[in-house]
Amino acid sequence: DAKTTQPPSMDCAEGRAANLPCNHSTISGNEYVYWYRQIHSQGPQYIIHGLKNNETNEMASLIITEDRKSSTLILPHATLRDTAVYYCIVLGTYKYIFGTGTRLKVLA
Amino acid sequence: NAGVTQTPKFQVLKTGQSMTLQCAQDMNHNSMYWYRQDPGMGLRLIYYSASEGTTDKGEVPNGYNVSRLNKREFSLRLESAAPSQTSVYFCASSDRVNYGYTFGSGTRLTVV
């Protein structure tokens, strides 16, 4: 399974877009990129996933570069409730390997 | 909409005691997983079950055993608890079709 690299922490002003980057330079052609978040000590929550096309749902957008070596999760209008740890995961087989993620703090 | 249910939510054990963490899902998912999360760390995979009747080791299986009792239930057993096993334990399940995971709310285990 490909490894991912994320910045340890980021701040974002409330109401602004939060752009969370992830590098996955060793990704293989059939591996998906998944994003999850964990609020406080709750169980991680699925956000979005994609293979090579950009994806959007009610929570976020996922932009994957053409070479698939990196991606960006976009929260279009961050709120205080989006403060959480965000995990980028590349899934090859059916088991996730989590890194330490990016701790996003949304500031009022 | 129960999703993934873990019991108990909290547990304190003495070193050397044994216990079983229970996990059940009601989404008819094929795959189930056990993770542990130590303070300030990401999740680490202990064991997983790709489908009913199969189990495999993850990153940190030592000191644990699992049982996939049926399609709904996946239990994690600590035979002889150690302080190093103090952690939050999360169970998850996924549909093999889209691989998205649903996590339980966790079991907070302290071994003294």
Side-chain angles (χ1 to χ4, degrees), chain A residues 1 93-98, chain B residues 32-36 43-50 55-66 74 76 101:
Chain A
D1 294 319
T93 58
Y94 37 75
K95 60 183 190 294
Y96 289 150
I97 303 295
F98 283 79
Chain B
M32 298 184 74
Y33 313 82
W34 276 105
Y35 286 87
R36 62 176 286 175
L43 283 78
R44 292 185 291 170
L45 182 64
I46 305 171
Y47 270 94
Y48 63 98
S49 172
T55 61
D56 284 288
K57 296 178 180 179
E59 301 171 86
V60 289
N62 291 343
Y64 305 96
N65 286 301
V66 291
F74 189 39
L76 178 72
Y101 281 23

Side-chain angles (χ1 to χ4, degrees), chain A residues 11-28:
Chain A
D11 291 340
C12 176
E14 188 178 20
R16 304 296 293 268
N19 297 289
L20 290 87
C22 180
N23 286 323
H24 31 79
S25 58
T26 60
I27 193 170
S28 299

Side-chain angles (χ1 to χ4, degrees), chain A residues 24-108:
Chain A
H24 31 79
S25 58
T26 60
I27 193 170
S28 299
N30 62 345
E31 291 180 321
Y32 282 78
V33 180
Y34 276 76
W35 283 84
Y36 283 75
R37 73 180 183 184
Q38 188 174 26
I39 298 173
H40 297 302
S41 298
Q42 300 174 19
Q45 176 190 22
Y46 165 81
I47 301 173
I48 199 168
H49 74 282
L51 183 61
K52 50 186 170 182
N53 297 321
N54 297 338
E55 302 287 345
T56 296
N57 62 21
E58 64 278 4
M59 290 182 67
S61 295
L62 174 61
I63 308 298
I64 302 174
T65 58
E66 191 169 347
D67 63 7
R68 303 208 327 118
K69 293 182 184 299
S70 65
S71 60
T72 300
L73 177 74
I74 301 171
L75 308 177
H77 305 287
T79 71
L80 297 178
R81 285 180 291 185
D82 292 323
T83 291
V85 177
Y86 288 78
Y87 296 99
C88 167
I89 302 160
V90 171
L91 181 64
T93 58
Y94 37 75
K95 60 183 190 294
Y96 289 150
I97 303 295
F98 283 79
T100 53
T102 295
R103 186 173 297 276
L104 175 68
K105 187 173 183 180
V106 180
L107 306 172

Side-chain angles (χ1 to χ4, degrees), chain B residues 40-94:
Chain B
M41 306 288 288
L43 283 78
R44 292 185 291 170
L45 182 64
I46 305 171
Y47 270 94
Y48 63 98
S49 172
S51 61
E52 186 178 356
T54 68
T55 61
D56 284 288
K57 296 178 180 179
E59 301 171 86
V60 289
N62 291 343
Y64 305 96
N65 286 301
V66 291
S67 295
R68 184 75 183 266
L69 304 171
N70 47 55
K71 192 171 186 179
R72 290 186 64 249
E73 300 173 286
F74 189 39
S75 63
L76 178 72
R77 182 161 178 83
L78 286 71
E79 291 291 353
S80 179
S84 60
Q85 294 178 303
T86 293
S87 191
V88 180
Y89 291 84
F90 289 103
C91 177
S93 69
S94 70

